[in-house]
Amino acid sequence: MKESKGVNNMQVANSKKKGTNKAIVSAVKNRGQAKNSKNQLLKKIAQYERRDLFMEMRTSYMGLEHEDAQSRLEEYGPNIVASQQPTPWYKMLAHAFINPFVLVLLFLAAVSWATGDHEATIVMVVMVSFSVGISFVQEYKSQQAAIELKEMIENTANVKREGEAKEIPMDEIVPGDIVLLQTGDMIPADAILLTSKDLFINQSSMTGESYPVEKRILDDLDEDEQVKWDEIDVIDAPNVLFMGTDVLSGHGEILITKTGAQTMFGDIAAKVTGSKGKTAFDVGLTKVSRLLLGMVAVLFPVVLGINWFTKGSFMDAFFFAIAVAVGLTPEMLPMIVNTNLAKGAVALSKEKVIVKDLSAIQNLGSMDILCTDKTGTITEDRVVLMEHVDPLGNDNNDVLDAGFINSNYSTGWKNLMDNAVIEYFEKQERVEPYENIKKVDEIPFDFSRRVLSVVVKANGQNLMVTKGAVEEMDDISTHVMIDGERVKITPERLEQMQAVNLQMNLKGMRVLTVATRILTEDELEDFDQSMERDLTIVGFIGFLDPAKESAKTAIHSLQEHGVTVKVLTGDNAVVAKKVCEDVGIPVDHYLLGTDIEQMEDEDLFKATKDTHLFAKLNPMQKARIIDLLRAGGHTVGFMGDGINDAPSLRAADVGISVDTAADITKDASTIILLEKSLQVLETGVIEGRKVFSNMMKYIRITLSSNFGNVFSVLVASAFLPFLPMLSIQLLTLNLIYDISQLTIPWDHVDEEELAKPVKWGTQGLGKFALSVGPISSIFDITTFIVLWFVFQYNTPAHQANFQAGWFAVSLATQAMAFHILRTKKLPFVKSRASLAIFLSTVGAFFVGSLLNFTALGGLVNLSRLPYVFYAWWLLIVLAYIVLLQIGKNFYYERLLKE
């Protein structure tokens, strides 16, 4: 095999939400999963005799013929699953257009074009093109990068066809193929075992069990090991192997029965790669969109009706109403949102973070709960030997020596703890306790006995060293070494040893017992599992997956930024509790999977408020907890790397995985870390809040400005004998202002805005608009009065001068409003805009000056004004700035707190 990776998998639990009187909506509790018909068929096939099995799959022990294999490939399709199917570019492009503001602008553009207002049409089409283009390009580039990365790694399998074995790409494997397995190989599809020799499979992806499973053909099972097919799940069948699992040791041959989407892996892929539910970002943006579009829908006919009634021209009133609608429509919002998110994606890419879904950046900013697995995230994902003690808990090197003999001289599969013993022994620069140690025999580890025995010749004796789980070792031990003396195990001594084990467990350690026995030559001749008896316990070895040094700092920083970290693990509660305490996660109590299974949704939701550790969970329970937290109003992130985490990743607002995770896991994620660390999430959270803050600046300012402008337009339309501004002038003013807003993503954000999670929604927007919107109307009306009475622009003959005056004031007040409203602080003094914002404001004034002072103004029917007007202009703008600052302070200090 050119490349093999262990991948994680699980059976996905269906979930749906139900309403409660407390707005807690939970996942459906399909706790009793119906047996899948495919699995029933696989279980049936697994019981066939060899001859019947070959007949069922229309193959032979020599494998398929090449022509037959090719026809089956055409019949069954390539051996790939749903997550590996790229989204066509045209679907991405169509998705970019599905945005309420884009659709409204396209509608208005179509109406404008149909009624002959081509200038307005061009402006709106340009805006739509920018918005759609940015979104499409970012999504397309993200997918292409993922495809290119995948193509760099071609997985192959050793397949027997026409009696010859050769490597072929995994996606060309078909039902009926015979695949040869060896250590490190990935199981390419669901299969039945034909032959095996010490074949151990990593099946944690399917079961969540971290220990390997030995696979054997039915003929090799002892009488007491015969399979009770009616009582087991197909996943526990000793001769069935599944796509996505991998070989840890041994070798064998398998017969492929199902490929691609028909495999259990394929079923899971289809379930977790479907459409993802709406995230907090989607819901919040929809609320804001509805509010802004509602204003357009209500005010468009009002403006049209008033102007038609007062001016008598339907077409003029219609075009003016269209221009007002465009002004009211925050057409730049999609572009501002996408540009902000794209900028955030670029910033995170420098931190070795791949952003698959742009909205995930903002969701990071609003995330107030992060659920994470323990292993590899807050721990180092490795096993370290921490203690080697005698039965009374005292450090003892004899225990280490015995453990080393057991681990070093075993020839079968070495687990992480064996490697940890050997590594520790060598790091201590110890030497073997006996000279000329010679390996004699062994009984390999298996998961029914949960012990490993090795026999060596040392000092002329046959020394058997056995190492294994505490409970199993207690059952086969009769004596214990205390202070160098071999004594019988009494209830009191057993209680002492159990206390030592408990203390080691409370430190977060996994504990193995080490024991010895001297064998006679006769016993050695008949050496088997029956010799694992009458052992003498020499002590215990404690192992730990230590907490990452960086995890405590990262978690503390997340907590300071208002993010609560909860650990959802399938691991032992005592071990997980110790790790949580080491990294600063408070654990006064915890809940186990068995507890959760008995709890109703409302009770579980209440428990999640002050519970930060959930242990011994199955994947369905993890997803249920996330669903409940989200339904309770939280924005939830989940960090995991196994296929058994895929439902949780998809259920969360932010699904975070690592680049070494399985394809299906990465497909279910929205953010992929190139380094599995919480440290980078702090950067992501801050970046997300910057994105949110800058987007809300545009929304708040646009909403308040639109509110004020509409009121001004209604007043002017009712009392003026001419339009206060032509449609082309309104569109030009809108275009200048909108272009100046394109630099918002590069604006500075006040530290206070980054301190706590942020939420999308319309809360407070109405009060904000009512607080500051009328201020612009006051100064618009003031401008009308000055133009009407001071400069006598009060007849249709002077309408171009009137319109030029309001154009100049509107452009200046809108430009300065951004600097006032972008911060809660005193602008220009305690909070300064970025250079990009400053330059865009200067640019807006420059373009406005060209239109007001040069012949270019004639293109939009603007007349030149006397210079004395600009004294009034300066006075109005300065007064507006002062009053707007007062109105803003009133909102934040009074109204926002109500």
Side-chain angles (χ1 to χ4, degrees), residues 260-302:
Q262 298 302 310
T263 61
M264 184 180 293
F265 189 96
D267 283 343
I268 296 166
K271 291 174 183 175
V272 301
T273 54
S275 58
K276 183 178 172 71
K278 286 189 175 183
T279 65
F281 174 80
D282 300 323
V283 173
L285 186 57
T286 299
K287 288 181 179 178
V288 172
S289 301
R290 285 175 179 170
L291 175 65
L292 296 175
L293 291 175
M295 287 181 62
V296 176
V298 170
L299 294 173
F300 175 81
V302 174

Side-chain angles (χ1 to χ4, degrees), residues 298-345:
V298 170
L299 294 173
F300 175 81
V302 174
V303 172
L304 174 62
I306 290 177
N307 279 278
W308 185 14
F309 177 76
T310 58
K311 309 301 181 296
S313 172
F314 174 79
M315 291 308 295
D316 286 345
F318 180 76
F319 287 135
F320 184 73
I322 286 283
V324 170
V326 172
L328 289 174
T329 303
E331 65 272 16
M332 298 300 292
L333 182 58
M335 188 190 297
I336 294 292
V337 168
N338 289 329
T339 305
N340 262 294
L341 296 176
K343 176 181 173 289

